[in-house]
Amino acid sequence: EAVEKHLRERLGTLFDLDYDILLYDVTSTYFEGLAECNPQAKRGYSRDHRPDCKRVCVALVVARGGVPLAYEVFDGNRVDVTTVKEIVTTMEARFGMAKRVWVMDRGMASAENVRFLSEGGRRYLIGASKADLKRHEAKIADEREWTHIREDVEVKLCPTENGEETFILCRSAQRRDKDLAILDRFEAQLEARLDSLKRRIAKAKRPLDRAQIDRQLGRMLASNFRASAKYDLRTEEAPETPAGLRLVPDERPTWKSSRETMAGCYLLRTNIADWTHDELWRTYIQLTDAENAFRSHKSQLSIRPVWHHREDRTKAHIFICFIAYAMWKTLELWQQRAGLGNSPRMILDELREIQSADVVLPTTHGQNVRVRCVVKPEPAQAILLERLGIQLPRRLQMRAALPSAQM
């Protein structure tokens, strides 16, 4: 907590940041080994595509631009939606309530969480569930009142009857193309498996177990869930056939129109009444900063996999990664302010070539004088250091080695 408070004050001072908007997201990291000494290590939904490994969940709170504020470690089988109350109350206890806006994705959306945020007088902007989006299908199909906020993004505000909450319909041309491509793939997979099942039933030489076929249909729909609403699938008795069954895949008449209408659309919900379309959408899109923070943790800072098996060492590992990300983000903001882009890895790779060397000078008294000097940077490195405002010392102070008994 002391480190988090220090980061909040220090980063806010260095880069003139405020913490009026807090972005919250949850990810997971997995263990190599059984981790039997860590009660938090449990199996659950793995974002790392390692369902065979135990894991812990890491919740991260960041401000605008992905600047880290705080984090928590939860059990590996903890569901995201159950963490909201705990993380919000924890952050308020540490930093005060103020008039902050909590931004979360639809994985955190539930009636209980929305009620908790509203009753506490908190402001929120949350991704709504697909069920809520489906209820707004008629308003999506209505082409009136859509507002372009970007070349390929449109939004429409839909206030609730009581005026306490507003739903924001959003649709993106790029996202539409992606959604339709995904649906095409799932439809093709589902139709191929249905054709295979129909051929199996047609070629059967003896009666088939209807319950077994129904279970197979259930698995088929579950593995192709995005296209599962296309057909009304059922099995019927067919005494005239050797299998005794017939598969009837009736395509729902509303599927095609609904598919075209809903592709590329998503829904937000908020209790903020004084923001424009553009402010609401751009604030929610900043959740990508939290996702990028997790991406940096996993790809650049090696938070996964966890090789420690004890709970205290696992938490220490995650704590070090959090501090490393704070340093990484500091370098990135420093780099942006200097007009050098936003890739700290390139800066580190360039500066890694600058090394130090020991110059040993023998004296007439028989002793050697050792001076540690910094190698003169190359012209490109010198320009980079100048832009960053870094002045390298010519010499480094050498510390005396510890006696062997103290090492």
Side-chain angles (χ1 to χ4, degrees):
E1 293 181 21
V3 170
E4 290 172 355
K5 289 181 179 179
H6 170 78
L7 284 176
R8 177 179 180 272
E9 296 171 0
R10 185 63 177 154
L11 291 174
T13 302
L14 283 174
F15 304 107
D16 192 25
L17 299 173
D18 56 47
Y19 295 95
D20 57 335
I21 295 177
L22 299 183
L23 313 169
Y24 176 57
D25 204 358
V26 179
T27 191
S28 62
T29 183
Y30 64 93
F31 291 83
E32 288 290 356
L34 298 178
E36 294 179 344
C37 297
N38 189 345
Q40 286 193 309
K42 300 181 184 299
R43 286 186 172 85
Y45 170 67
S46 176
R47 297 167 176 83
D48 305 302
H49 308 290
R50 289 297 304 271
D52 57 313
C53 298
K54 291 184 178 180
R55 64 176 199 140
V56 290
C57 294
V58 182
L60 184 65
V61 180
V62 301
R64 294 177 186 265
V67 177
L69 181 63
Y71 77 97
E72 291 291 335
V73 182
F74 296 114
D75 291 351
N77 59 354
R78 187 78 176 263
V79 181
D80 294 359
V81 73
T82 65
T83 66
V84 173
K85 283 187 180 181
E86 186 172 341
I87 204 73
V88 170
T89 53
T90 300
M91 293 302 102
E92 290 175 348
R94 293 181 188 175
F95 307 112
M97 290 188 64
K99 289 188 177 181
R100 298 191 177 92
V101 177
W102 284 94
V103 184
M104 310 174 190
D105 65 16
R106 70 185 183 196
M108 314 293 177
S110 70
E112 184 179 355
N113 285 339
V114 171
R115 185 168 54 252
F116 162 73
L117 293 170
S118 298
E119 291 174 352
R122 305 170 183 89
R123 298 196 296 173
Y124 61 83
L125 178 58
I126 308 177
S129 66
K130 287 188 175 182
D132 288 328
L133 178 63
K134 186 67 177 176
R135 285 193 286 270
H136 286 78
E137 185 173 354
K139 293 182 179 180
I140 295 174
D142 186 353
E143 293 297 327
R144 295 174 297 177
E145 299 180 358
W146 285 97
T147 302
H148 278 274
I149 59 173
R150 211 172 66 175
E151 183 179 357
D152 63 332
V153 177
E154 296 176 286
V155 298
K156 179 193 286 192
L157 298 184
C158 302
T160 55
E161 293 182 359
N162 56 20
E164 295 179 356
E165 197 175 29
T166 300
F167 286 90
I168 306 104
L169 290 169
C170 310
R171 64 183 182 187
S172 164
Q174 292 183 356
R175 183 165 179 159
R176 172 185 172 83
D177 293 340
K178 178 181 177 180
D179 287 351
L180 290 176
I182 293 174
L183 283 172
D184 288 341
R185 178 164 56 87
F186 275 97
E187 285 182 51
Q189 292 175 356
L190 180 59
E191 289 171 1
R193 295 186 63 178
L194 285 175
D195 290 341
S196 176
L197 182 58
K198 285 192 289 186
R199 287 196 300 270
R200 176 190 163 196
I201 293 174
K203 293 180 180 180
K205 303 299 183 182
R206 57 183 178 80
L208 297 178
D209 185 354
R210 185 172 183 176
Q212 183 180 5
I213 297 297
D214 288 340
R215 287 194 296 270
Q216 188 173 348
L217 283 175
R219 291 192 296 270
M220 190 184 303
L221 293 175
S223 60
N224 298 278
F225 66 96
R226 290 180 183 268
S228 60
K230 181 177 181 178
Y231 295 105
D232 181 14
L233 295 174
R234 66 184 186 277
T235 53
E236 295 180 349
E237 293 184 3
E240 70 279 6
T241 64
L245 293 175
R246 181 186 299 110
L247 178 62
V248 182
D250 291 334
E251 183 173 337
R252 292 188 172 95
T254 60
W255 164 254
K256 288 184 178 179
S257 60
S258 178
R259 176 183 185 272
E260 295 297 321
T261 300
M262 304 297 286
C265 297
Y266 53 98
L267 184 67
L268 313 178
R269 60 190 303 177
T270 182
N271 61 352
I272 304 172
D274 55 346
W275 285 15
T276 64
H277 305 69
D278 187 71
E279 288 175 321
L280 290 169
W281 181 81
R282 291 188 184 279
T283 300
Y284 182 77
I285 290 301
Q286 288 186 52
L287 265 179
T288 56
D289 292 331
E291 296 170 358
N292 290 335
F294 286 134
R295 194 172 296 113
S296 296
H297 273 83
K298 293 181 177 182
S299 61
Q300 307 289 352
L301 306 177
S302 301
I303 195 173
R304 66 177 184 187
V306 179
W307 298 89
H308 307 286
H309 288 190
R310 280 172 33 184
E311 182 179 5
D312 56 339
R313 293 184 177 179
T314 299
K315 289 185 175 180
H317 168 74
I318 296 172
F319 177 64
I320 293 297
C321 289
F322 174 76
I323 296 177
Y325 176 69
M327 297 176 67
W328 181 272
K329 199 65 189 180
T330 300
L331 178 57
E332 181 182 323
L333 294 174
W334 196 1
Q335 181 183 2
Q336 288 177 357
R337 190 166 62 180
L340 297 171
N342 58 353
S343 178
R345 173 59 60 193
M346 295 180 65
I347 298 290
L348 294 176
D349 290 342
E350 189 70 28
L351 298 183
R352 185 175 287 116
E353 302 301 322
I354 302 176
Q355 301 177 358
S356 64
D358 290 353
V359 178
V360 181
L361 303 174
T363 66
T364 57
H365 300 290
Q367 296 180 343
N368 292 335
V369 176
R370 187 182 296 269
V371 181
R372 181 160 293 176
C373 301
V374 178
V375 175
K376 183 179 179 180
E378 297 292 331
Q381 297 166 346
I383 295 173
L384 185 61
L385 292 169
E386 182 182 0
R387 294 284 296 274
L388 291 173
I390 300 175
Q391 186 174 1
L392 293 181
R394 289 189 174 183
R395 297 180 181 178
L396 298 177
Q397 183 179 359
M398 297 182 62
R399 295 184 179 182
L402 291 174
S404 57
Q406 299 181 32
M407 292 181 65

